Amino acid sequence: MTIVGEIDLYTAPGLQSEFTRLLQESPTTYVVIDMSGVEFCDSTGMNVLLSALKRLKERGGTLELAAPRPAVRKILQVTGLDSVFTVHEAVPGKLLTAEPKG
């Protein structure tokens, strides 16, 4: 999943809806979010990510973050969420070479 722009009070509800849709429509248990296009993420956005992580863990899965920009990485570090999420420097190569399933 790729997110771009800002995740804040105004955009977080849309992101929450997308996670809800994804989790309802598929048996997905492993989600990696490409954060390279996210310029800003406030506490509302972090709560959406935490909620999605919790829901995935309930079904035995996980949510990981990839390629956060420095501003987002700093928020993760200051809040301690960098120890809650697995954070990759880049999108994991295995995902870039994976064949679409269908």
Coordinates of all heavy atoms in Angstrom, one line a residue:
M1 N 0.9 -1.2 0.0 CA 0.0 0.0 0.0 C 0.9 1.2 0.0 O 1.9 1.3 0.7 CB -0.9 0.0 1.2 CG -1.8 1.2 1.4 SD -2.8 1.1 2.9 CE -4.2 0.4 2.3
T2 N 0.5 2.2 -0.8 CA 1.3 3.4 -0.9 C 0.4 4.6 -0.4 O -0.7 4.7 -0.8 CB 1.8 3.7 -2.3 OG1 2.6 2.6 -2.7 CG2 2.6 5.0 -2.4
I3 N 1.0 5.4 0.5 CA 0.3 6.6 0.9 C 1.1 7.8 0.5 O 2.3 7.8 0.6 CB 0.1 6.6 2.5 CG1 -0.6 5.3 2.9 CG2 -0.6 7.9 2.9 CD1 -0.7 5.2 4.4
V4 N 0.4 8.9 0.0 CA 1.1 10.1 -0.4 C 0.4 11.3 0.3 O -0.8 11.2 0.6 CB 1.2 10.3 -1.9 CG1 2.0 9.2 -2.5 CG2 -0.2 10.3 -2.5
G5 N 1.2 12.4 0.4 CA 0.6 13.6 1.0 C 0.7 13.7 2.5 O 1.8 13.3 3.0
E6 N -0.3 14.2 3.1 CA -0.3 14.4 4.5 C -1.4 13.5 5.2 O -2.4 13.3 4.6 CB -0.6 15.8 4.9 CG 0.4 16.8 4.3 CD 0.1 18.3 4.7 OE1 -0.9 18.5 5.3 OE2 1.0 19.1 4.4
I7 N -1.0 13.0 6.3 CA -2.0 12.2 7.1 C -2.3 13.0 8.3 O -1.4 13.1 9.2 CB -1.4 10.8 7.5 CG1 -0.8 10.1 6.3 CG2 -2.5 10.0 8.1 CD1 -0.1 8.8 6.6
D8 N -3.4 13.6 8.3 CA -3.8 14.5 9.5 C -5.2 14.4 9.8 O -5.9 13.5 9.3 CB -3.4 16.0 9.1 CG -4.0 16.5 7.9 OD1 -5.1 15.9 7.4 OD2 -3.5 17.5 7.3
L9 N -5.7 15.3 10.6 CA -7.1 15.3 11.0 C -8.1 15.2 9.9 O -9.1 14.6 10.0 CB -7.4 16.5 11.9 CG -8.8 16.7 12.5 CD1 -9.1 15.6 13.5 CD2 -8.9 18.0 13.2
Y10 N -7.7 15.8 8.7 CA -8.6 15.9 7.6 C -8.6 14.7 6.7 O -9.6 14.3 6.1 CB -8.4 17.2 6.8 CG -8.5 18.4 7.7 CD1 -7.4 19.1 8.1 CD2 -9.8 18.9 8.0 CE1 -7.5 20.2 8.9 CE2 -9.9 20.0 8.9 CZ -8.8 20.6 9.3 OH -9.0 21.7 10.1
T11 N -7.4 14.1 6.6 CA -7.2 13.0 5.7 C -7.3 11.6 6.3 O -7.5 10.6 5.7 CB -5.9 13.1 4.9 OG1 -4.8 13.1 5.8 CG2 -5.9 14.4 4.1
A12 N -7.1 11.5 7.6 CA -7.0 10.3 8.4 C -8.3 9.5 8.2 O -8.2 8.2 8.1 CB -6.7 10.5 9.8
P13 N -9.5 10.1 8.3 CA -10.7 9.3 8.1 C -10.8 8.5 6.8 O -11.2 7.4 6.7 CB -11.9 10.3 8.2 CG -11.3 11.4 9.0 CD -9.8 11.5 8.6
G14 N -10.3 9.1 5.7 CA -10.2 8.4 4.4 C -9.3 7.2 4.5 O -9.5 6.1 3.9
L15 N -8.1 7.4 5.1 CA -7.2 6.3 5.3 C -7.8 5.2 6.1 O -7.6 4.0 5.8 CB -5.9 6.8 5.9 CG -4.8 5.8 6.1 CD1 -4.4 5.1 4.8 CD2 -3.6 6.5 6.8
Q16 N -8.5 5.6 7.2 CA -9.1 4.6 8.0 C -10.1 3.8 7.2 O -10.2 2.6 7.3 CB -9.8 5.3 9.2 CG -10.5 4.3 10.1 CD -9.5 3.5 11.0 OE1 -8.6 4.1 11.6 NE2 -9.7 2.2 11.0
S17 N -10.9 4.4 6.4 CA -11.8 3.8 5.5 C -11.2 2.8 4.6 O -11.7 1.7 4.3 CB -12.7 4.8 4.7 OG -13.4 5.6 5.5
E18 N -10.0 3.2 4.0 CA -9.3 2.3 3.1 C -8.8 1.0 3.8 O -8.9 -0.1 3.3 CB -8.1 3.0 2.4 CG -8.5 3.9 1.3 CD -9.2 3.1 0.2 OE1 -8.6 2.1 -0.3 OE2 -10.3 3.5 -0.2
F19 N -8.3 1.2 5.0 CA -7.8 0.1 5.8 C -9.0 -0.9 6.1 O -8.9 -2.1 6.0 CB -7.2 0.5 7.1 CG -5.7 0.9 7.0 CD1 -5.3 2.1 7.5 CD2 -4.8 0.0 6.4 CE1 -4.0 2.5 7.4 CE2 -3.5 0.4 6.3 CZ -3.1 1.6 6.8
T20 N -10.1 -0.3 6.5 CA -11.3 -1.1 6.8 C -11.7 -1.9 5.6 O -12.0 -3.1 5.7 CB -12.5 -0.2 7.3 OG1 -12.0 0.5 8.5 CG2 -13.7 -1.0 7.5
R21 N -11.8 -1.2 4.4 CA -12.1 -1.9 3.2 C -11.2 -3.0 2.9 O -11.6 -4.1 2.6 CB -12.2 -0.9 2.0 CG -12.7 -1.5 0.7 CD -12.5 -0.5 -0.5 NE -11.1 -0.1 -0.7 CZ -10.2 -0.9 -1.2 NH1 -10.5 -2.1 -1.7 NH2 -8.9 -0.5 -1.4
L22 N -9.9 -2.7 3.0 CA -8.9 -3.7 2.7 C -9.0 -5.0 3.6 O -9.0 -6.1 3.1 CB -7.5 -3.1 2.9 CG -6.3 -4.1 2.8 CD1 -6.1 -4.6 1.3 CD2 -5.0 -3.5 3.3
L23 N -9.2 -4.7 4.9 CA -9.3 -5.8 5.8 C -10.6 -6.6 5.7 O -10.7 -7.8 6.0 CB -9.1 -5.3 7.2 CG -7.7 -4.7 7.5 CD1 -7.6 -4.1 8.9 CD2 -6.6 -5.8 7.2
Q24 N -11.7 -5.9 5.2 CA -12.9 -6.6 5.1 C -13.0 -7.4 3.8 O -13.6 -8.5 3.7 CB -14.1 -5.6 5.1 CG -14.4 -5.1 6.4 CD -15.5 -4.0 6.4 OE1 -15.8 -3.4 5.3 NE2 -16.1 -3.7 7.5
E25 N -12.3 -6.9 2.7 CA -12.4 -7.5 1.4 C -11.4 -8.6 1.1 O -11.5 -9.3 0.1 CB -12.3 -6.5 0.3 CG -13.5 -5.5 0.3 CD -13.4 -4.4 -0.7 OE1 -12.5 -4.4 -1.5 OE2 -14.4 -3.6 -0.8
S26 N -10.3 -8.7 2.0 CA -9.3 -9.7 1.7 C -8.8 -10.3 3.0 O -9.0 -9.7 4.0 CB -8.1 -9.0 0.9 OG -7.3 -8.3 1.8
P27 N -8.2 -11.5 2.8 CA -7.7 -12.2 4.0 C -6.3 -11.7 4.3 O -5.5 -12.4 5.0 CB -7.7 -13.6 3.6 CG -7.5 -13.6 2.1 CD -8.2 -12.4 1.7
T28 N -5.9 -10.5 3.9 CA -4.6 -10.0 4.1 C -4.1 -10.0 5.5 O -4.9 -9.7 6.4 CB -4.5 -8.5 3.6 OG1 -4.9 -8.5 2.2 CG2 -3.2 -7.9 3.8
T29 N -2.9 -10.5 5.7 CA -2.3 -10.5 7.1 C -1.0 -9.8 7.1 O -0.4 -9.6 8.2 CB -2.1 -12.0 7.6 OG1 -1.3 -12.7 6.7 CG2 -3.4 -12.7 7.8
Y30 N -0.5 -9.4 5.9 CA 0.8 -8.7 5.9 C 0.7 -7.5 5.0 O 0.4 -7.6 3.8 CB 1.9 -9.7 5.3 CG 3.3 -9.1 5.2 CD1 4.0 -8.7 6.3 CD2 3.9 -8.9 3.9 CE1 5.3 -8.1 6.2 CE2 5.1 -8.4 3.8 CZ 5.8 -8.0 4.9 OH 7.1 -7.5 4.8
V31 N 0.9 -6.3 5.6 CA 0.7 -5.1 4.9 C 2.0 -4.3 5.1 O 2.5 -4.1 6.3 CB -0.5 -4.2 5.4 CG1 -0.5 -2.9 4.7 CG2 -1.8 -5.0 5.1
V32 N 2.6 -3.8 4.0 CA 3.7 -2.9 4.1 C 3.2 -1.6 3.5 O 2.7 -1.6 2.4 CB 5.0 -3.4 3.3 CG1 6.1 -2.4 3.4 CG2 5.4 -4.7 4.0
I33 N 3.4 -0.5 4.2 CA 3.0 0.8 3.7 C 4.2 1.6 3.2 O 5.1 1.8 4.0 CB 2.3 1.6 4.8 CG1 1.0 0.9 5.2 CG2 1.9 3.0 4.3 CD1 0.3 1.6 6.4
D34 N 4.2 1.9 2.0 CA 5.3 2.8 1.4 C 5.0 4.2 1.8 O 4.0 4.8 1.4 CB 5.3 2.7 -0.1 CG 6.3 3.5 -0.8 OD1 7.0 4.4 -0.1 OD2 6.5 3.4 -2.0
M35 N 5.8 4.7 2.7 CA 5.6 6.1 3.3 C 6.4 7.1 2.6 O 6.5 8.3 3.1 CB 5.9 6.1 4.8 CG 5.1 5.1 5.6 SD 3.5 5.6 6.2 CE 3.9 6.9 7.3
S36 N 7.1 6.8 1.5 CA 8.1 7.7 0.9 C 7.4 9.0 0.4 O 8.0 10.0 0.2 CB 8.8 7.0 -0.2 OG 8.0 6.6 -1.2
G37 N 6.1 8.9 0.1 CA 5.4 10.1 -0.4 C 4.6 10.9 0.7 O 3.9 11.8 0.4
V38 N 4.8 10.4 2.0 CA 4.1 11.1 3.1 C 5.0 12.2 3.6 O 6.1 12.0 4.1 CB 3.8 10.1 4.2 CG1 3.1 10.9 5.4 CG2 2.9 9.0 3.7
E39 N 4.5 13.5 3.5 CA 5.2 14.6 3.9 C 5.0 15.0 5.3 O 5.9 15.6 6.0 CB 4.8 15.8 3.0 CG 5.0 15.6 1.5 CD 4.2 16.6 0.7 OE1 3.6 17.5 1.2 OE2 4.2 16.3 -0.5
F40 N 3.9 14.6 5.9 CA 3.5 14.9 7.3 C 2.6 13.9 7.8 O 1.7 13.4 7.1 CB 2.9 16.3 7.3 CG 2.4 16.7 8.7 CD1 3.3 17.2 9.7 CD2 1.1 16.7 9.0 CE1 2.8 17.5 10.9 CE2 0.6 17.0 10.2 CZ 1.5 17.5 11.2
C41 N 2.7 13.6 9.1 CA 1.7 12.7 9.7 C 1.6 13.1 11.2 O 2.6 13.2 11.9 CB 2.2 11.2 9.7 SG 1.1 10.0 10.4
D42 N 0.4 13.5 11.5 CA 0.1 13.9 12.9 C -0.3 12.8 13.8 O -0.4 11.6 13.3 CB -0.8 15.2 13.0 CG -2.2 14.8 12.6 OD1 -2.6 13.6 12.4 OD2 -3.0 15.8 12.5
S43 N -0.7 13.1 15.0 CA -1.2 12.0 15.9 C -2.4 11.3 15.4 O -2.6 10.1 15.7 CB -1.4 12.6 17.3 OG -2.4 13.6 17.3
T44 N -3.3 12.0 14.7 CA -4.5 11.3 14.2 C -4.0 10.3 13.2 O -4.6 9.2 13.2 CB -5.4 12.4 13.5 OG1 -5.6 13.5 14.3 CG2 -6.7 11.8 13.1
G45 N -3.1 10.6 12.3 CA -2.6 9.6 11.3 C -1.9 8.5 12.0 O -2.1 7.3 11.6
M46 N -1.1 8.7 13.1 CA -0.4 7.7 13.8 C -1.5 6.7 14.4 O -1.3 5.5 14.5 CB 0.5 8.2 14.8 CG 1.8 8.9 14.3 SD 2.8 7.7 13.4 CE 3.9 8.8 12.5
N47 N -2.6 7.3 14.9 CA -3.6 6.5 15.5 C -4.3 5.6 14.5 O -4.6 4.4 14.8 CB -4.7 7.3 16.2 CG -4.2 7.9 17.5 OD1 -3.4 7.2 18.2 ND2 -4.7 9.0 17.9
V48 N -4.4 6.0 13.3 CA -5.0 5.2 12.2 C -4.0 4.0 11.9 O -4.5 2.9 11.8 CB -5.2 6.0 10.9 CG1 -5.6 5.1 9.7 CG2 -6.4 7.0 11.2
L49 N -2.7 4.3 11.8 CA -1.8 3.3 11.6 C -1.7 2.2 12.8 O -1.7 1.0 12.5 CB -0.4 3.8 11.4 CG -0.2 4.8 10.2 CD1 1.2 5.4 10.2 CD2 -0.4 4.0 8.9
L50 N -1.8 2.7 14.0 CA -1.9 1.8 15.1 C -3.1 1.0 15.1 O -3.1 -0.2 15.5 CB -1.8 2.6 16.4 CG -0.4 3.1 16.8 CD1 -0.5 4.2 17.9 CD2 0.5 2.0 17.2
S51 N -4.2 1.6 14.8 CA -5.5 0.8 14.7 C -5.4 -0.3 13.7 O -5.8 -1.4 13.9 CB -6.6 1.8 14.4 OG -7.8 1.1 14.2
A52 N -4.8 0.0 12.5 CA -4.7 -1.0 11.5 C -3.7 -2.1 11.9 O -4.0 -3.3 11.7 CB -4.1 -0.3 10.2
L53 N -2.6 -1.7 12.6 CA -1.7 -2.7 13.1 C -2.4 -3.6 14.1 O -2.3 -4.9 14.1 CB -0.5 -2.0 13.8 CG 0.5 -3.0 14.6 CD1 1.2 -3.9 13.6 CD2 1.5 -2.1 15.3
K54 N -3.2 -3.1 15.0 CA -4.0 -3.9 16.0 C -4.9 -4.8 15.3 O -5.0 -6.0 15.7 CB -4.8 -2.9 16.9 CG -5.6 -3.7 18.0 CD -6.3 -2.7 18.8 CE -7.2 -3.5 19.8 NZ -8.4 -2.9 20.2
R55 N -5.6 -4.4 14.3 CA -6.6 -5.2 13.6 C -5.9 -6.4 12.8 O -6.3 -7.5 12.8 CB -7.4 -4.4 12.6 CG -8.4 -3.5 13.4 CD -9.2 -2.6 12.6 NE -10.1 -3.4 11.8 CZ -10.8 -2.8 10.8 NH1 -10.7 -1.5 10.5 NH2 -11.7 -3.5 10.1
L56 N -4.7 -6.1 12.3 CA -3.9 -7.1 11.6 C -3.4 -8.1 12.6 O -3.4 -9.3 12.3 CB -2.8 -6.5 10.8 CG -3.2 -5.9 9.4 CD1 -2.2 -5.0 8.8 CD2 -3.5 -7.1 8.4
K57 N -2.9 -7.6 13.7 CA -2.4 -8.5 14.8 C -3.5 -9.5 15.3 O -3.2 -10.6 15.6 CB -1.8 -7.8 15.9 CG -0.4 -7.3 15.6 CD 0.3 -6.7 16.8 CE 1.7 -6.3 16.5 NZ 2.5 -5.9 17.7
E58 N -4.7 -9.0 15.3 CA -5.8 -9.8 15.8 C -6.1 -11.0 14.8 O -6.6 -12.0 15.3 CB -7.1 -9.0 15.9 CG -7.1 -8.0 17.1 CD -8.3 -7.0 17.0 OE1 -9.0 -7.0 16.1 OE2 -8.4 -6.3 18.0
R59 N -5.7 -10.9 13.6 CA -5.8 -12.0 12.6 C -4.5 -12.6 12.4 O -4.3 -13.3 11.4 CB -6.5 -11.5 11.3 CG -5.8 -10.4 10.6 CD -6.3 -10.3 9.2 NE -7.7 -9.7 9.1 CZ -8.3 -9.4 7.9 NH1 -7.7 -9.6 6.8 NH2 -9.4 -8.8 7.9
G60 N -3.5 -12.4 13.3 CA -2.2 -13.1 13.2 C -1.3 -12.4 12.2 O -0.3 -13.0 11.8
G61 N -1.5 -11.2 11.8 CA -0.7 -10.5 10.8 C 0.1 -9.4 11.4 O 0.3 -9.2 12.6
T62 N 0.6 -8.6 10.5 CA 1.4 -7.4 10.9 C 1.4 -6.3 9.9 O 1.0 -6.6 8.7 CB 2.9 -7.8 11.1 OG1 3.6 -6.7 11.8 CG2 3.6 -8.2 9.8
L63 N 1.7 -5.1 10.3 CA 1.8 -4.0 9.4 C 3.2 -3.4 9.6 O 3.6 -3.2 10.7 CB 0.7 -3.0 9.8 CG 0.6 -1.7 9.0 CD1 -0.8 -1.3 8.8 CD2 1.4 -0.6 9.5
E64 N 3.8 -3.1 8.5 CA 5.2 -2.5 8.5 C 5.2 -1.3 7.7 O 4.4 -1.1 6.8 CB 6.2 -3.5 8.0 CG 6.2 -4.8 8.8 CD 7.2 -5.9 8.2 OE1 7.8 -5.6 7.2 OE2 7.3 -7.0 8.8
L65 N 6.1 -0.4 8.1 CA 6.3 0.9 7.4 C 7.6 0.9 6.6 O 8.6 0.4 7.1 CB 6.3 2.1 8.4 CG 5.1 2.1 9.4 CD1 5.2 3.2 10.3 CD2 3.8 2.2 8.6
A66 N 7.5 1.5 5.4 CA 8.7 1.5 4.6 C 9.0 2.9 4.1 O 8.1 3.7 3.7 CB 8.6 0.6 3.4
A67 N 10.3 3.3 4.1 CA 10.8 4.5 3.5 C 10.2 5.8 4.0 O 9.9 6.7 3.2 CB 10.7 4.4 2.0
P68 N 10.0 5.9 5.3 CA 9.4 7.2 5.8 C 10.4 8.3 5.6 O 11.6 8.2 5.8 CB 9.2 7.0 7.3 CG 10.2 5.9 7.7 CD 10.3 5.0 6.4
R69 N 9.9 9.5 5.3 CA 10.8 10.7 5.1 C 11.3 11.1 6.5 O 10.7 10.7 7.5 CB 10.0 11.8 4.5 CG 9.6 11.6 3.0 CD 8.9 12.8 2.5 NE 8.7 12.6 1.1 CZ 8.2 13.5 0.3 NH1 7.9 14.7 0.7 NH2 8.0 13.3 -1.0
P70 N 12.3 11.9 6.5 CA 12.9 12.3 7.8 C 11.9 12.9 8.8 O 11.9 12.6 10.0 CB 13.9 13.4 7.5 CG 14.4 12.9 6.1 CD 13.1 12.4 5.4
A71 N 10.9 13.7 8.4 CA 10.0 14.3 9.3 C 9.1 13.2 9.9 O 8.8 13.3 11.1 CB 9.1 15.4 8.6
V72 N 8.6 12.3 9.1 CA 7.8 11.2 9.7 C 8.6 10.3 10.5 O 8.2 9.8 11.6 CB 7.1 10.4 8.5 CG1 6.3 9.2 9.0 CG2 6.2 11.4 7.7
R73 N 9.8 10.0 10.1 CA 10.7 9.1 11.0 C 10.9 9.8 12.3 O 10.9 9.1 13.4 CB 12.1 8.9 10.3 CG 13.0 8.0 11.1 CD 14.2 7.7 10.3 NE 14.0 6.8 9.2 CZ 13.8 5.5 9.2 NH1 13.8 4.9 10.4 NH2 13.6 4.8 8.1
K74 N 11.1 11.1 12.4 CA 11.3 11.8 13.6 C 10.1 11.6 14.5 O 10.2 11.4 15.7 CB 11.6 13.3 13.4 CG 11.8 14.1 14.7 CD 12.9 15.0 14.5 CE 13.0 15.8 15.8 NZ 14.3 15.9 16.3
I75 N 8.9 11.7 14.0 CA 7.6 11.6 14.8 C 7.6 10.1 15.3 O 7.2 9.9 16.5 CB 6.4 11.9 13.9 CG1 6.3 13.4 13.6 CG2 5.1 11.4 14.6 CD1 5.4 13.7 12.5
L76 N 8.0 9.2 14.5 CA 8.0 7.8 15.0 C 9.0 7.6 16.1 O 8.7 6.9 17.1 CB 8.4 6.8 13.8 CG 7.3 6.7 12.7 CD1 7.9 6.0 11.5 CD2 6.1 5.9 13.2
Q77 N 10.1 8.3 16.0 CA 11.1 8.1 17.1 C 10.7 8.9 18.3 O 10.8 8.3 19.4 CB 12.5 8.7 16.6 CG 13.1 7.9 15.5 CD 14.3 8.5 14.8 OE1 14.4 9.7 14.9 NE2 15.1 7.7 14.2
V78 N 10.2 10.1 18.2 CA 9.8 10.9 19.4 C 8.7 10.2 20.2 O 8.6 10.2 21.4 CB 9.4 12.3 19.0 CG1 8.7 13.1 20.1 CG2 10.6 13.1 18.5
T79 N 7.8 9.6 19.4 CA 6.6 8.9 20.1 C 6.9 7.5 20.5 O 6.1 6.9 21.2 CB 5.4 8.9 19.1 OG1 5.8 8.1 17.9 CG2 4.9 10.3 18.8
G80 N 8.1 7.0 20.1 CA 8.4 5.6 20.5 C 7.8 4.6 19.6 O 7.9 3.4 19.8
L81 N 7.1 5.0 18.5 CA 6.4 4.1 17.6 C 7.3 3.4 16.7 O 7.0 2.4 16.1 CB 5.3 4.8 16.8 CG 4.1 5.3 17.7 CD1 3.1 6.1 16.8 CD2 3.4 4.1 18.3
D82 N 8.6 3.9 16.6 CA 9.6 3.1 15.8 C 9.9 1.8 16.4 O 10.4 0.9 15.7 CB 10.8 4.0 15.6 CG 11.5 4.4 16.9 OD1 10.9 4.4 17.9 OD2 12.7 4.6 16.8
S83 N 9.6 1.6 17.7 CA 9.8 0.3 18.3 C 8.5 -0.6 18.3 O 8.5 -1.7 18.6 CB 10.2 0.4 19.8 OG 9.3 1.1 20.5
V84 N 7.4 0.1 17.9 CA 6.1 -0.7 17.8 C 6.0 -1.2 16.4 O 5.6 -2.4 16.2 CB 4.9 0.3 18.1 CG1 3.6 -0.4 17.8 CG2 5.0 0.7 19.5
F85 N 6.3 -0.4 15.4 CA 6.3 -0.8 14.0 C 7.6 -1.3 13.5 O 8.7 -0.8 14.0 CB 5.9 0.3 13.1 CG 4.5 0.8 13.2 CD1 4.2 2.0 14.0 CD2 3.4 0.2 12.7 CE1 2.9 2.5 14.1 CE2 2.1 0.6 12.8 CZ 1.9 1.8 13.5
T86 N 7.7 -2.3 12.6 CA 8.9 -2.6 11.9 C 9.0 -1.5 10.8 O 8.1 -1.3 10.1 CB 8.8 -4.0 11.2 OG1 8.7 -4.9 12.3 CG2 10.1 -4.2 10.4
V87 N 10.1 -0.8 10.8 CA 10.3 0.3 9.9 C 11.5 0.0 9.0 O 12.6 -0.2 9.5 CB 10.6 1.7 10.6 CG1 10.8 2.8 9.6 CG2 9.5 2.0 11.6
H88 N 11.2 -0.1 7.7 CA 12.3 -0.4 6.7 C 12.8 0.9 6.1 O 12.0 1.9 5.9 CB 11.7 -1.2 5.6 CG 11.1 -2.5 6.0 ND1 11.9 -3.6 6.3 CD2 9.8 -2.9 6.3 CE1 11.1 -4.6 6.7 NE2 9.9 -4.2 6.7
E89 N 14.0 1.0 5.7 CA 14.6 2.1 5.0 C 14.0 2.3 3.7 O 13.9 3.4 3.2 CB 16.1 2.0 4.9 CG 16.9 2.1 6.2 CD 16.7 3.5 6.9 OE1 16.7 4.5 6.2 OE2 16.5 3.5 8.1
A90 N 13.7 1.2 3.0 CA 13.1 1.2 1.7 C 12.0 0.2 1.6 O 11.9 -0.7 2.5 CB 14.1 1.0 0.6
V91 N 11.2 0.1 0.6 CA 10.2 -0.9 0.4 C 11.0 -2.2 0.2 O 11.9 -2.3 -0.6 CB 9.3 -0.7 -0.8 CG1 8.4 -1.8 -1.0 CG2 8.6 0.6 -0.7
P92 N 10.7 -3.3 1.0 CA 11.4 -4.5 1.0 C 11.4 -5.1 -0.5 O 10.4 -5.1 -1.2 CB 10.6 -5.4 1.9 CG 10.0 -4.5 2.9 CD 9.6 -3.3 2.1
G93 N 12.6 -5.5 -0.9 CA 12.8 -5.9 -2.3 C 11.9 -7.1 -2.7 O 11.5 -7.2 -3.8
K94 N 11.6 -8.0 -1.7 CA 10.7 -9.1 -2.0 C 9.4 -8.7 -2.5 O 8.7 -9.4 -3.2 CB 10.6 -10.1 -0.8 CG 9.9 -9.5 0.4 CD 9.9 -10.4 1.6 CE 9.2 -9.8 2.8 NZ 9.3 -10.7 3.9
L95 N 8.9 -7.5 -2.0 CA 7.6 -7.0 -2.5 C 7.7 -6.4 -3.8 O 6.7 -6.4 -4.6 CB 7.1 -6.0 -1.5 CG 6.8 -6.5 -0.1 CD1 6.4 -5.4 0.8 CD2 5.8 -7.6 -0.1
L96 N 8.8 -5.8 -4.2 CA 9.0 -5.2 -5.5 C 9.1 -6.2 -6.6 O 8.7 -5.9 -7.7 CB 10.3 -4.3 -5.5 CG 10.3 -3.1 -4.5 CD1 11.6 -2.4 -4.6 CD2 9.1 -2.1 -4.9
T97 N 9.5 -7.4 -6.3 CA 9.7 -8.4 -7.3 C 8.6 -9.5 -7.2 O 8.6 -10.4 -8.0 CB 11.0 -9.2 -7.1 OG1 11.1 -9.7 -5.8 CG2 12.2 -8.2 -7.3
A98 N 7.6 -9.3 -6.3 CA 6.6 -10.3 -6.1 C 5.6 -10.2 -7.3 O 5.3 -9.2 -7.9 CB 5.8 -10.0 -4.9
E99 N 5.2 -11.4 -7.8 CA 4.2 -11.5 -8.8 C 2.8 -11.2 -8.2 O 2.5 -11.7 -7.1 CB 4.2 -12.9 -9.5 CG 5.5 -13.2 -10.2 CD 5.6 -12.3 -11.5 OE1 4.6 -12.1 -12.1 OE2 6.7 -11.9 -11.8
P100 N 2.0 -10.5 -9.0 CA 0.6 -10.2 -8.5 C -0.1 -11.6 -8.3 O 0.0 -12.5 -9.1 CB 0.0 -9.4 -9.6 CG 1.1 -8.9 -10.4 CD 2.2 -9.8 -10.2
K101 N -0.9 -11.6 -7.2 CA -1.7 -12.8 -7.0 C -3.1 -12.6 -7.5 O -3.7 -11.5 -7.3 CB -1.7 -13.2 -5.5 CG -0.3 -13.6 -5.0 CD -0.4 -13.9 -3.6 CE 1.0 -14.2 -3.1 NZ 1.1 -14.4 -1.7
G102 N -3.7 -13.5 -8.2 CA -5.0 -13.3 -8.7 C -5.6 -14.5 -9.1 O -6.6 -15.0 -9.2

